[in-house]
Amino acid sequence: MVILGFLSIVLSLILGLGLAFVIIHRFLNRNEPANLPNGTMGWPLCGETLAFLKPHRSNSMGTFLQQRCSKYGKVFKSHLFGSPAIVSCDHEFNLFILQNEEKLFQASYPTAMHGILGKFSLLLVSGDLHKKLRSIAVSFIAVSKSTPSFLHCVEKFAISMMESWKECKEVTFDKEVRKFTLNLMVKTLMSIEPEEPAASKILKDFRTYMKGFVSLPLDYPGSPYSKAVKARARLSSTVREIIKEREKEINAGLKVDFLDVILSKRRLTDEETVSIVLDILLGGYETTSTLISLIVYFLGHAPAALETLKKEHEAIRRSKEDGKPLDWEDYQKMEFTHNVISEAMRCGNVVKFVHREALQDVKYKEYFIPSGWKVLPVFTGAHFDPSLHENPFEFNPWRWTDKATSKKVVPFGGGPRLCPGADLAKVVTAFFLHHLVLSYRWKTKADDFPVAYPYVEFRRGLLLEIEAAQAMMGKEG
């Protein structure tokens, strides 16, 4: 009797779920225009979100996109993040979406992400507020990227990291380079030195913050999402404390770093100031560190590219008198380095996709996008499109000698929301690579590779076997 009762309950649940599926499916598909892209809406409530977010190699499209692009084409419908959605792996359509920001489309990140990002994040705000906050970030980056003080700071931190590895046979590179980029950013933004307790505190909170950034928004004690919200609150509190101290110095007429400049202009509220500082920290720390790790990974599997890169930097070093520091002119000579950076962005996909929403009914070629639907331009799909790139899954920096390649890749987004820190990330990466390729040789582990969660992380932290370049030269001799 107990077994029969249990079976009866299970059968009732199955029938109930089945009925719910039919009702929700009909609700989601009622009055759908006939010319919507093909696709499937997946399960009730969660749609296809779990399949879309399933971890996969970041230097691949992943099973979800491969299967649906093969079955439905480069543009298809789905149900993601709680909304009916149009997913685009079509490069032209992606550009159309990005270039029509706040005309036909607007940023539309899941509500749960607002608790992590904060209501004044550049990712979330729009209109005049977005223009104001973005202009501040852009002006900082435009001025900073070529100043001798910033370039010397980058080089100093890079050399310090090379020195710290002298006695090492192995390094967990991804962890190490994250220290480098965060220490650099907190120094540049807030004049915090790496050895100060605040630096390690910020680093720890930022890792927690990033892991919850794209996790499922399950707000229960101990969940990645819950931890991320708390980490963001701690980061905000840390920055607020620094602001209070800095306001005293501003009144004394001292101007040292980015935070000082912002406070001296008095254009932002405290909450806006905290948000813009965290946004720049996030971009300068996460994007740059991931990019450098990807480059090191790809070069570990591309000896010809590594040798070409090494020769470029040897020539630059020989041109310097008495070991003078690198400058902006040296950076502009790093042509192959720029190709390596661009190819790593294409192959590694630091940013897989962005969230947008249709502000009105949109017609583009044969596609129809209803007003209010989520729209996801997926950069990964275009980056591995064989009609755009020959042997798309091959890491080939030489493809960038063709200037047309740059028009087929959007690793930093586009339109009014083009990543304001793109140029800064390239400068930092180039200077770090200069010292890395002249100081060390390395081998990657066979079972290590970059994984898209969709944020990029290495399975084993990119554990490298390293050897000093001078020791290698001795063996070769």
Side-chain angles (χ1 to χ4, degrees):
M1 291 296 291
V2 172
I3 294 175
L4 288 175
F6 176 74
L7 289 175
S8 176
I9 292 171
V10 170
L11 182 61
S12 298
L13 286 171
I14 292 173
L15 289 173
L17 287 172
L19 180 60
F21 178 85
V22 172
I23 293 171
I24 293 172
H25 181 76
R26 286 182 177 177
F27 173 76
L28 292 174
N29 291 280
R30 75 190 195 286
N31 301 322
E32 280 191 352
N35 54 342
L36 269 176
N38 292 325
T40 176
M41 306 306 273
W43 290 90
L45 302 180
C46 69
E48 297 186 303
T49 305
L50 294 178
F52 180 75
L53 292 177
K54 185 178 180 180
H56 61 87
R57 284 178 178 260
S58 76
N59 55 330
S60 74
M61 287 182 66
T63 303
F64 180 88
L65 293 178
Q66 284 177 336
Q67 291 179 344
R68 281 150 186 81
C69 286
S70 176
K71 187 173 182 179
Y72 304 120
K74 295 178 185 178
V75 180
F76 56 91
K77 71 179 179 181
S78 183
H79 195 274
L80 301 169
F81 305 102
S83 303
I86 301 295
V87 180
S88 170
C89 292
D90 182 88
H91 181 61
E92 286 188 17
F93 188 38
N94 289 352
L95 288 179
F96 176 78
I97 295 166
L98 296 174
Q99 290 166 358
N100 281 281
E101 175 76 25
E102 298 198 19
K103 298 174 185 175
L104 302 177
F105 307 94
Q106 70 177 6
S108 178
Y109 286 82
T111 303
M113 289 180 69
H114 295 214
I116 297 178
L117 291 168
K119 66 179 180 180
F120 292 111
S121 170
L122 280 170
L123 285 174
L124 303 178
V125 297
S126 57
D128 291 339
L129 180 57
H130 177 262
K131 290 177 183 177
K132 181 178 77 169
L133 295 177
R134 189 178 187 279
S135 70
I136 292 171
V138 169
S139 63
F140 159 69
I141 290 161
V143 171
S144 298
K145 69 179 183 182
S146 59
T147 58
S149 60
F150 176 73
L151 298 179
H152 293 171
C153 186
V154 176
E155 189 163 26
K156 173 188 170 185
F157 278 62
I159 292 172
S160 176
M161 181 140 284
M162 299 304 123
E163 291 287 332
S164 72
W165 297 344
K166 272 190 172 181
E167 304 302 321
C168 298
K169 299 296 182 183
E170 288 186 338
V171 294
T172 307
F173 186 83
D174 196 46
K175 180 180 179 180
E176 291 288 291
V177 79
R178 288 180 188 280
K179 288 181 186 176
F180 162 74
T181 55
L182 190 70
N183 286 338
L184 175 64
M185 293 310 297
V186 295
K187 170 64 176 176
T188 304
L189 293 173
M190 297 177 287
S191 298
I192 297 175
E193 298 292 344
E195 59 272 14
E196 292 184 44
S200 58
K201 180 181 177 183
I202 291 172
L203 176 61
K204 182 179 179 181
D205 282 336
F206 247 102
R207 289 304 300 140
T208 305
Y209 176 59
M210 278 308 304
K211 287 184 177 180
F213 184 70
V214 288
S215 65
L216 289 175
L218 303 176
D219 194 5
Y220 60 85
S223 71
Y225 176 81
S226 176
K227 288 180 179 179
V229 172
K230 291 176 182 177
R232 207 274 181 186
R234 289 193 299 271
L235 286 165
S236 297
S237 178
T238 299
V239 175
R240 284 180 189 279
E241 289 174 11
I242 295 170
I243 287 174
K244 287 180 180 179
E245 292 301 315
R246 289 304 177 78
E247 284 177 336
K248 299 175 186 176
E249 297 173 5
I250 290 295
N251 293 332
L254 299 175
K255 292 184 181 180
V256 181
D257 52 34
F258 173 63
L259 185 56
D260 292 326
V261 173
I262 289 182
L263 294 175
S264 67
K265 293 182 179 179
R266 305 290 184 185
R267 291 176 56 193
L268 304 179
T269 65
D270 281 357
E271 199 169 354
E272 289 171 343
T273 301
V274 169
S275 191
I276 196 74
V277 168
L278 292 181
D279 276 345
I280 295 177
L281 269 176
L282 175 62
Y285 159 67
E286 182 65 24
T287 303
T288 310
S289 62
T290 303
L291 172 58
I292 295 173
S293 290
L294 286 168
I295 290 172
V296 167
Y297 170 79
F298 289 126
L299 289 175
H301 296 82
L306 177 56
E307 186 61 25
T308 302
L309 184 68
K310 176 188 166 188
K311 287 179 179 178
E312 178 172 86
H313 286 281
E314 286 175 338
I316 290 171
R317 181 48 54 195
R318 284 194 300 269
S319 70
K320 306 298 290 183
E321 297 178 6
D322 301 323
K324 286 184 177 178
L326 295 172
D327 54 33
W328 187 249
E329 289 184 5
D330 296 319
Y331 173 69
Q332 292 176 312
K333 294 175 185 175
M334 299 178 185
E335 293 183 11
F336 189 73
T337 305
H338 293 137
N339 292 346
V340 168
I341 291 171
S342 297
E343 183 68 350
M345 291 295 289
R346 185 193 70 83
C347 288
N349 295 285
V350 176
V351 178
K352 179 178 176 179
F353 64 95
V354 292
H355 294 260
R356 296 292 183 266
E357 178 184 320
L359 291 170
Q360 60 188 61
D361 288 348
V362 178
K363 292 182 180 179
Y364 178 78
K365 294 185 177 179
E366 72 271 28
Y367 308 128
F368 177 81
I369 302 95
S371 175
W373 276 45
K374 182 174 283 291
V375 182
L376 300 177
V378 180
F379 306 139
T380 306
H383 292 171
F384 293 132
D385 188 338
S387 69
L388 298 175
H389 311 284
E390 185 178 355
N391 299 321
F393 296 100
E394 176 188 352
F395 179 77
N396 176 17
W398 288 275
R399 76 172 78 241
W400 290 84
T401 55
D402 179 0
K403 300 300 181 185
T405 302
S406 63
K407 298 178 181 179
K408 304 172 186 175
V409 179
V410 285
F412 291 102
R417 289 184 180 271
L418 177 69
C419 176
D423 288 340
L424 198 71
K426 292 176 185 177
V427 173
V428 173
T429 300
F431 273 41
F432 185 91
L433 287 175
H434 173 83
H435 290 284
L436 178 65
V437 300
L438 295 182
S439 302
Y440 292 98
R441 299 294 168 265
W442 63 88
K443 291 182 181 178
T444 60
K445 300 295 184 180
D447 61 344
D448 203 3
F449 51 83
V451 179
Y453 287 97
Y455 68 90
V456 178
E457 194 164 83
F458 284 81
R459 288 186 72 239
R460 298 186 60 183
L462 192 54
L463 186 64
L464 302 180
E465 294 179 16
I466 63 170
E467 190 168 7
Q470 293 300 320
M472 290 291 292
M473 287 174 65
K475 289 181 180 180
E476 291 168 2

